[in-house]
Amino acid sequence: MNMDSIEQAKLENTGFSYILSLINGKYKITILYYLTAFDVVRFNEMKRYIDAVSFKTLSLSLKELESDGLIIRNEYPQIPPKVEYSLAARGKSLIPILEAMCEWGEFHKTTAREM
Amino acid sequence: MNMDSIEQAKLENTGFSYILSLINGKYKITILYYLTAFDVVRFNEMKRYIDAVSFKTLSLSLKELESDGLIIRNEYPQIPPKVEYSLAARGKSLIPILEAMCEWGEFHKTTAREM
DNA sequence: CGGGATCCATTAAGATACTG
DNA sequence: CAGTATCTTAATGGATCCCG
């Protein structure tokens, strides 16, 4: 994170802005979290885990995560349909970050908020 | 991240949902990022770094980060006013996560998105 | 300079019904 | 089951003016 001037400090085209663009959206990190915990999750199963999300938002988020290469969509051509989502290699490489966030939250959620 | 059932899988009141609630909002992580990089940043200076943000959103985000104990607002009662923001201890403890995100992004932004 | 207040625009997200 | 389509609502952000 070496920055010497305001010009260099601009976030455009940095790795940081890149990762932010991938995990924006209310439920994306949550989706990744469940895929980390359960490895393979079906559409309606994910909907049950995150019951606040709507079909539309879930569907859109999964599509974006897939096109960003973070998750894999595996469709079984059968009746009734079956679609499984799992982490792609890129997504798996995010696990340490997700776990660090989880641990940070566990540790700090009970801590007093004062400085 | 041990989860054995759907019931336990619900995110309410977990550390993970807690940290998500702190860093939601389009620019909060970015603000923390700049405070990590520059230690002490004034209001308009921050506005210049993140030039896409509006005064209102920046102001609101800083206030929320402050009330969540992540940053410290230091006001100098002078004319013209001067207000400096810096990371609180809680905020500093997030630095490893921010750096991990940064590194992940740097490494993956150029990588092909294919599986 | 560092905001607050107000009003407006844009975007994200939700509800519901429907389909292969 | 795994979505899509449509419509509606909520959340977020932006522009502008103002003040100590």
Side-chain angles (χ1 to χ4, degrees):
Chain A
M1 258 190 223
N2 303 325
M3 297 177 181
D4 298 328
S5 73
I6 294 182
E7 299 313 314
Q8 289 177 303
K10 290 294 167 59
L11 280 176
E12 295 127 45
N13 303 319
T14 64
F16 199 72
S17 68
Y18 176 67
I19 191 173
L20 289 184
S21 73
L22 298 189
I23 62 176
N24 66 350
K26 198 169 176 180
Y27 299 102
K28 280 195 187 168
I29 303 185
T30 306
I31 291 169
L32 295 172
Y33 174 92
Y34 280 117
L35 290 179
T36 299
F38 294 110
D39 288 345
V40 177
V41 181
R42 297 177 61 170
F43 185 87
N44 276 321
E45 188 185 358
M46 185 67 81
K47 171 80 174 87
R48 259 172 276 129
Y49 294 147
I50 318 174
D51 62 344
V53 75
S54 66
F55 287 108
K56 179 187 135 187
T57 303
L58 180 56
S59 173
L60 193 65
S61 302
L62 288 168
K63 242 183 267 186
E64 289 176 0
L65 287 169
E66 191 201 2
S67 78
D68 288 331
L70 293 178
I71 70 174
I72 294 170
R73 180 180 183 278
N74 207 336
E75 181 173 358
Y76 297 84
Q78 60 183 43
I79 305 290
K82 176 175 167 183
V83 179
E84 291 179 342
Y85 293 91
S86 56
L87 290 175
R90 288 188 142 229
K92 283 181 184 163
S93 66
L94 277 172
I95 292 179
I97 294 176
L98 294 175
E99 284 182 338
M101 290 173 63
C102 204
E103 282 164 27
W104 190 96
E106 280 303 324
F107 183 78
H108 290 275
K109 69 172 174 160
T110 51
T111 311
R113 249 171 240 100
E114 305 94 55
M115 305 172 264
Chain B
M1 260 189 221
N2 303 324
M3 297 177 180
D4 299 328
S5 72
I6 294 180
E7 299 313 314
Q8 289 176 305
K10 290 296 167 56
L11 280 177
E12 296 124 45
N13 302 319
T14 64
F16 198 73
S17 68
Y18 176 66
I19 192 174
L20 288 183
S21 74
L22 298 189
I23 62 176
N24 66 351
K26 199 167 176 180
Y27 299 102
K28 281 197 187 165
I29 305 184
T30 305
I31 290 170
L32 295 172
Y33 173 92
Y34 280 116
L35 290 179
T36 298
F38 294 109
D39 288 345
V40 177
V41 181
R42 296 178 63 170
F43 186 87
N44 276 322
E45 188 185 358
M46 185 69 79
K47 172 77 173 89
R48 257 173 275 129
Y49 293 148
I50 318 174
D51 62 345
V53 75
S54 67
F55 287 109
K56 177 187 141 188
T57 302
L58 180 57
S59 172
L60 194 65
S61 301
L62 287 168
K63 244 185 265 185
E64 289 176 1
L65 287 169
E66 190 201 3
S67 77
D68 287 332
L70 294 178
I71 69 173
I72 294 170
R73 179 180 186 278
N74 208 334
E75 181 173 357
Y76 298 84
Q78 60 183 43
I79 304 291
K82 175 175 168 185
V83 179
E84 291 180 341
Y85 295 90
S86 56
L87 289 176
R90 290 188 140 230
K92 284 182 184 164
S93 66
L94 277 172
I95 292 179
I97 295 176
L98 295 175
E99 284 182 337
M101 290 174 63
C102 203
E103 282 164 26
W104 190 96
E106 280 302 323
F107 182 77
H108 288 91
K109 70 170 175 164
T110 49
T111 311
R113 250 172 240 97
E114 303 96 54
M115 305 173 266

